[in-house]
Amino acid sequence: MYSPIENGTTIDIQGLPCSIPEPGYVFNVVTKKIEYRGISQRSENPNEQYWERTPLPNWYKEIMKKEDEYEKKRKDNDEPFYDEKLEEYKKQEWDRRLNGYWFMNNGKPTYLTGSHYMYLQWFQIDIGYPRFRFPDLEYFYFLQYVIEDPNCMGMIEITKRRFGKTFRGGLFLYEYVTRTRMTNAGIQSKTGADGKKVFAKAVISPFKKLPRFFRPEYDMSLGITPKSEIRFQQTNIRGKKAEDGLDKEELGSMIDFQSADTIAYDGQKLHRYFSDEWAKTTEVNIYDRHEVVRYCLLDDEGKIIGKALYSSTVEKIETERNGIQDAARNLWNDSNQLNREENGRTPSGLYRFFMSADRAKNFDIYGYPDIERNIKEILADRESVKHNIRALSKRIKKEARTIEEAFSEDSDDCIFNS
């Protein structure tokens, strides 16, 4: 997305020129070459072409049983279990996860980044598997550009409630850490209790539902459903057998969460960081916390080695601390990718992405939102409470059509009509 691609196209996503290969081609991150993969389609009829998740093959469970039986009897010197059909399938899915995927959508070739494919095909959320939506397509293009840009520390997002932001954050951590050795990922939210919920909901729950070839070995001494952190290494054991696994390969990576405290991650190295509900922190100044986290994303020479994802809605927060909401607004203002410093970075190091409520519901089967209908519904909802200024202010924030509405003044603090 960041580097221009020969024979490809460029799409501007909120000020970032995202490069896409020509239809049917992908950039192979392993070979560093443009390679042909083709374009999938569910039908020859353009009207019946749209995203459709492909379930596991019928033979998959049976082969998994054979593998389990083999592993129970396998000795240390025996070869690992091998099935040619299974290996080809695993190779296909790993290729799509890393390099992306093309499919026909209403007669148009449509490219998914590897992370977006992983999200749609394998990452179960609270309502099942996600639907394909064009706002998400733009989101994942933007995020991929951010990940590839050497001068960017991450992405900061304002979006509508219940638009999948927390699960996308969980995927952002999981996708990188579970394929990269010795990496650390962390979570913070508006409170410590909320951080714990995000870890359980957006990391552990989807992880347990992934196919085995996307679930690396993890330390089960913390239980099969870890509560505080998940370590992708062999299970800790004691006694004489502890030395038997020293030479075995393992990722050595981990994902955890910390309290909302400003210095919770101070001094740690983070390769991925997710800040959930960053604009609604009640316990800390978010800009102060970001100043701590940004140094966790750098090496000792100031090179960016990690990426952060900040995601939130903006609503009235109850806190006696001064400057909390002003700090959120300042962090957003200092993340404008169209206003970079001489070193090529924004003041915060982040790039910002706003999702208008106009494009956040009423999707057709091809993933397009009915913008006209959405605007009518939003305005009608506001009209119904125009007599109640406080209620109107809250509804404007919950379904903000512009960033100015998202950060509008709260009527609770104003004796006049804000």
Side-chain angles (χ1 to χ4, degrees):
M1 288 290 158
Y2 173 73
S3 301
I5 298 176
E6 186 177 357
N7 299 323
T9 56
T10 300
I11 299 177
D12 184 278
I13 307 293
Q14 302 196 20
L16 298 186
C18 299
S19 298
I20 301 170
E22 62 180 310
Y25 287 82
V26 301
F27 177 76
N28 189 327
V29 297
V30 178
T31 65
K32 308 299 181 185
K33 295 179 180 178
I34 300 293
E35 298 175 359
Y36 186 71
R37 292 292 186 271
I39 306 173
S40 299
Q41 60 183 37
R42 69 180 300 277
S43 172
E44 295 287 342
N45 182 351
N47 294 332
E48 297 179 1
Q49 293 173 350
Y50 48 83
W51 166 261
E52 185 175 52
R53 179 182 175 271
T54 306
L56 283 164
N58 294 331
W59 46 259
Y60 182 78
K61 288 186 178 179
E62 187 62 33
I63 291 182
M64 288 298 98
K65 289 180 181 178
K66 290 181 180 179
E67 181 178 16
D68 290 339
E69 292 171 0
Y70 180 85
E71 289 298 324
K72 288 178 182 178
K73 301 174 182 178
R74 185 167 78 95
K75 299 178 180 179
D76 290 341
N77 295 329
D78 291 342
E79 292 292 324
F81 178 83
Y82 179 83
D83 180 274
E84 186 172 355
K85 189 162 50 175
L86 176 62
E87 291 305 312
E88 284 299 314
Y89 182 68
K90 289 161 59 175
K91 181 180 178 182
Q92 168 191 284
E93 292 306 303
W94 267 103
D95 179 77
R96 293 174 177 179
R97 170 179 171 176
L98 294 173
N99 303 320
Y101 176 78
W102 283 92
F103 75 102
M104 293 298 294
N105 189 44
N106 196 23
K108 298 178 181 179
T110 303
Y111 175 71
L112 302 176
T113 66
S115 291
H116 196 183
Y117 176 81
M118 178 81 171
Y119 181 66
L120 293 172
Q121 174 66 22
W122 295 116
F123 214 69
Q124 283 198 53
I125 62 176
D126 52 354
I127 57 171
Y129 289 100
R131 295 170 57 194
F132 171 78
R133 305 177 296 196
F134 268 93
D136 283 343
L137 185 79
E138 295 176 5
Y139 169 96
F140 279 102
Y141 284 177
F142 190 98
L143 180 60
Q144 190 62 36
Y145 185 104
V146 163
I147 290 171
E148 295 175 12
D149 186 343
N151 280 318
C152 181
M153 293 180 177
M155 169 179 172
I156 185 168
E157 173 195 26
I158 291 291
T159 187
K160 178 183 178 294
R161 290 188 71 190
R162 294 187 175 88
F163 201 61
K165 63 182 177 60
T166 304
F167 286 101
R168 293 195 301 263
L171 174 72
F172 169 74
L173 304 178
Y174 183 86
E175 197 287 316
Y176 182 75
V177 168
T178 57
R179 61 176 171 84
T180 313
R181 293 184 185 279
M182 305 304 294
T183 50
N184 302 320
I187 298 168
Q188 286 183 291
S189 189
K190 58 182 183 291
T191 67
D194 287 311
K196 182 177 182 179
K197 291 177 183 177
V198 171
F199 177 75
K201 168 186 171 181
V203 176
I204 299 302
S205 179
F207 164 74
K208 293 174 68 177
K209 299 167 186 172
L210 289 170
R212 188 178 300 176
F213 52 83
F214 280 156
R215 278 188 285 122
E217 182 176 9
Y218 69 105
D219 183 357
M220 289 190 286
S221 65
L222 300 174
I224 61 171
T225 305
K227 304 296 184 183
S228 59
E229 63 180 19
I230 181 167
R231 305 189 204 108
F232 297 102
Q233 61 188 40
Q234 298 173 69
T235 299
N236 283 327
I237 56 176
R238 297 179 179 179
K240 294 181 179 179
K241 292 185 177 181
E243 293 185 359
D244 294 344
L246 289 178
D247 295 328
K248 293 183 179 179
E249 291 189 2
E250 58 185 14
L251 276 175
S253 301
M254 67 169 291
I255 304 173
D256 73 354
F257 69 90
Q258 294 289 345
S259 70
D261 191 75
T262 301
I263 60 171
Y265 277 110
D266 187 31
Q268 297 189 43
K269 186 181 291 185
L270 291 172
H271 300 88
R272 289 292 184 269
Y273 170 78
F274 178 45
S275 179
D276 182 58
E277 300 293 12
W278 64 268
K280 296 191 289 187
T281 56
T282 58
E283 300 175 357
V284 297
N285 178 304
I286 189 61
Y287 210 121
D288 291 345
R289 194 170 80 183
H290 174 66
E291 285 299 296
V292 173
V293 169
R294 70 189 303 274
Y295 284 99
C296 299
L297 306 171
L298 304 173
D299 66 11
D300 55 356
E301 296 183 351
K303 180 182 177 182
I304 298 173
I305 59 169
K307 300 287 179 173
L309 175 59
Y310 285 69
S311 186
S312 187
T313 56
V314 180
E315 297 178 34
K316 168 69 176 176
I317 59 175
E318 301 297 333
T319 179
E320 296 180 358
R321 293 174 179 264
N322 294 325
I324 294 295
Q325 289 191 313
D326 287 339
R329 189 193 299 266
N330 290 338
L331 184 59
W332 177 264
N333 291 339
D334 279 355
S335 302
N336 186 354
Q337 53 268 23
L338 302 180
N339 184 27
R340 306 183 204 186
E341 304 294 315
E342 290 185 5
N343 62 1
R345 300 178 185 175
T346 64
S348 70
L350 308 172
Y351 296 163
R352 64 191 193 185
F353 182 92
F354 174 67
M355 178 52 60
S356 168
D358 292 355
R359 305 179 65 230
K361 60 182 180 180
N362 292 320
F363 295 93
D364 62 21
I365 61 172
Y366 309 114
Y368 291 100
D370 189 335
I371 296 176
E372 184 177 348
R373 177 184 172 186
N374 291 341
I375 293 174
K376 286 182 180 179
E377 290 181 357
I378 292 169
L379 295 181
D381 183 55
R382 295 178 183 183
E383 181 70 16
S384 69
V385 293
K386 67 178 183 179
H387 60 283
N388 185 331
I389 301 303
R390 282 167 166 55
L392 176 60
S393 175
K394 288 180 172 62
R395 296 197 187 187
I396 288 173
K397 279 180 171 289
K398 286 184 184 297
E399 291 197 295
R401 300 182 58 217
T402 65
I403 193 63
E404 289 76 20
E405 287 187 349
F407 281 113
S408 59
E409 292 296 326
D410 293 296
S411 61
D412 287 351
D413 299 327
C414 188
I415 62 173
F416 301 106
N417 184 334
S418 61

